[in-house]
Amino acid sequence: IGDISFGAGQVPSASLVLRAIVQCFNYFDTAPDYGRSEAIIGEALSKLGQRDKVYIASKFCRPVGYEEGVSHLQVGSSKADYKAAVEGSLKRLRTDYLDVLFVHAIGGVNNYEGERRRLLDEAMLSAFQELKQEGKARHLAVSSHGPYHMERLLTDAVESGHFDAIMPAFNFLKFPRVPEVLKLAQAKGVGVVAMKTLAGARDAGVAQQDRPFEQAAFKWVLKHPEVAGLVVTMKRVSDLELFLPASGQAFSALDQQELDRYAALYGSDYCRTGCSACEPACPVGVPIASILRFAMYYSDYGDQKRAMHEYAHLNRTADTCRNCAAAPCSPACPHGL
């Protein structure tokens, strides 16, 4: 795959996908619950006529609306449920096979044992093996942007022997345990595709001395030899033009200066994915990390509908914090949020 890949969470048109292919992007990450993303990529593939030019990744997921609840298939889903979800993706994508099939967003709830069961669900593993034998799916993968037990669950995935690739959240503001997972993956022959590489993307598109922050952030991720590539959301032609120049480029001292500038501005505002060190200090169990992630989707990513949906489905929201005078969570944050 190319080292910078097309995240299709908010893809607007087939023409943008085709333009990306012309500009040498060859890995496209989509999902049934990314709006019309699969259908748009399917339209592009039908016009391209060369399926073997690209790699397509999708998820064990249902195309439910925001009002209908959780879209990722949960423990208790049958083998037929998993296979039906993939058949739906294949139909929308107008293709006979997926290159990569993800168990997506592992660690989204603070229940390690429950999430581990979803990760290693026998019905899911059996469904994948049948899909692989049928030529409908080539590689099994797992992704996690936390906020809970990310490194532990990805380590379980790597050590299980069932997964060909992992997709962790990984950027220059991360705490130090993710590189340990990357090294283990490399030792086990498991591929790594990184996501959430822009650490919140607070000043996306702002260039300092003709060195865009995005390119510096990408080069930092790609300097790690364990990382095959990264996925970033692309919504417009200008994204292609901004992101592509980082491909294949070495990380420099000037790039580090740009990241240092960003960290000084936003490091005490950005909630590190997978940390959750503050939450044990909350006497009523507010899911602080999840709430801050949804706030990032709303304010920084411009994905307001998704943010509101995710927030509305929390068992406990930040309303509880209105009457908390002590704020014990604040001194518990190792990053000063």
Side-chain angles (χ1 to χ4, degrees), residues 276-287:
S276 305
C278 60
E279 293 194 7
C282 178
V284 293
V286 172

Side-chain angles (χ1 to χ4, degrees), residues 144-158:
S144 179
H145 41 60
Y148 307 106
H149 313 294
M150 179 173 69
E151 298 94 333
R152 190 177 180 189
L153 288 163
L154 291 180
T155 297
D156 289 343
V158 170

Side-chain angles (χ1 to χ4, degrees), residues 41-103:
I41 291 176
E43 180 185 349
L45 290 178
S46 69
K47 293 178 179 179
L48 179 67
Q50 295 175 283
R51 173 66 178 85
D52 59 350
K53 287 191 66 174
V54 297
Y55 301 95
I56 305 296
S58 195
K59 321 296 189 321
F60 277 124
C61 184
R62 298 168 299 177
V64 298
Y66 281 110
E67 71 283 354
E68 297 177 60
V70 176
S71 54
H72 308 304
L73 294 178
Q74 302 295 306
V75 174
S77 300
S78 67
K79 180 169 68 174
D81 291 334
Y82 283 105
K83 294 190 70 174
V86 174
E87 293 289 354
S89 289
L90 296 176
K91 183 176 180 180
R92 288 184 292 274
L93 286 162
R94 306 191 204 183
T95 185
D96 297 327
Y97 66 94
L98 294 172
D99 295 282
V100 189
L101 183 55
F102 276 92
V103 178

Side-chain angles (χ1 to χ4, degrees), residues 171 173-174 199-200 202 266-273 296 337:
N171 61 57
L173 287 181
K174 285 284 172 265
R202 289 293 178 90
Y266 307 112
S268 61
D269 294 328
Y270 173 67
C271 182
R272 274 65 164 175
T273 298
M296 178 177 68
L337 271 69

Side-chain angles (χ1 to χ4, degrees), residues 105-119:
I106 205 77
V109 295
N110 193 8
N111 180 350
Y112 168 71
E113 292 298 335
E115 288 294 88
R116 191 175 190 276
R117 286 194 294 273
R118 182 162 78 92
L119 175 71

Side-chain angles (χ1 to χ4, degrees), residues 10-275:
Q10 300 182 53
V11 60
S13 66
S15 62
L16 183 63
V17 175
L18 292 169
R19 182 185 288 264
I21 294 171
V22 168
Q23 293 186 352
C24 297
F25 292 95
N26 70 348
Y27 181 95
F28 294 81
D29 180 276
T30 183
D33 62 345
Y34 289 175
R36 295 192 62 253
S37 176
E38 286 187 325
I40 289 170
I41 291 176
E43 180 185 349
L45 290 178
S46 69
K47 293 178 179 179
L48 179 67
Q50 295 175 283
R51 173 66 178 85
D52 59 350
K53 287 191 66 174
V54 297
Y55 301 95
I56 305 296
S58 195
K59 321 296 189 321
F60 277 124
C61 184
R62 298 168 299 177
V64 298
Y66 281 110
E67 71 283 354
E68 297 177 60
V70 176
S71 54
H72 308 304
L73 294 178
Q74 302 295 306
V75 174
S77 300
S78 67
K79 180 169 68 174
D81 291 334
Y82 283 105
K83 294 190 70 174
V86 174
E87 293 289 354
S89 289
L90 296 176
K91 183 176 180 180
R92 288 184 292 274
L93 286 162
R94 306 191 204 183
T95 185
D96 297 327
Y97 66 94
L98 294 172
D99 295 282
V100 189
L101 183 55
F102 276 92
V103 178
H104 191 45
I106 205 77
V109 295
N110 193 8
N111 180 350
Y112 168 71
E113 292 298 335
E115 288 294 88
R116 191 175 190 276
R117 286 194 294 273
R118 182 162 78 92
L119 175 71
L120 301 174
D121 185 10
E122 287 296 332
M124 179 274 295
L125 294 172
S126 178
F128 174 74
Q129 286 304 318
E130 288 191 9
L131 289 163
K132 186 173 182 178
Q133 291 168 4
E134 294 165 2
K136 295 178 179 179
R138 294 185 169 182
H139 299 286
L140 183 63
V142 59
S143 70
S144 179
H145 41 60
Y148 307 106
H149 313 294
M150 179 173 69
E151 298 94 333
R152 190 177 180 189
L153 288 163
L154 291 180
T155 297
D156 289 343
V158 170
E159 291 183 336
S160 74
H162 293 300
F163 293 89
D164 301 307
I166 60 173
M167 184 162 64
F170 186 47
N171 61 57
F172 65 97
L173 287 181
K174 285 284 172 265
F175 47 97
R177 289 187 55 210
V178 173
E180 297 174 11
V181 181
L182 304 189
K183 286 180 169 52
L184 178 64
Q186 186 180 52
K188 297 283 188 177
V190 174
V192 176
V193 177
M195 65 173 172
K196 308 298 182 187
T197 55
L198 295 178
R202 289 293 178 90
D203 60 357
V206 177
Q208 300 292 319
Q209 299 178 343
D210 298 321
R211 286 191 170 270
F213 157 72
E214 293 89 345
Q215 294 178 20
F218 293 161
K219 286 187 276 185
W220 184 92
V221 171
L222 295 171
K223 75 175 182 175
H224 295 80
E226 306 90 353
V227 177
L230 62 88
V231 169
V232 59
T233 298
M234 300 191 190
K235 298 180 283 187
R236 56 188 73 86
V237 172
S238 59
D239 290 337
L240 307 180
E241 296 169 346
L242 176 62
F243 299 156
L244 188 59
S247 177
Q249 300 302 305
F251 183 74
S252 69
L254 289 175
D255 292 320
Q256 185 62 59
Q257 290 177 16
E258 174 60 17
L259 300 187
D260 292 343
R261 179 197 67 84
Y262 186 96
L265 287 171
Y266 307 112
S268 61
D269 294 328
Y270 173 67
C271 182
R272 274 65 164 175
T273 298
C275 174

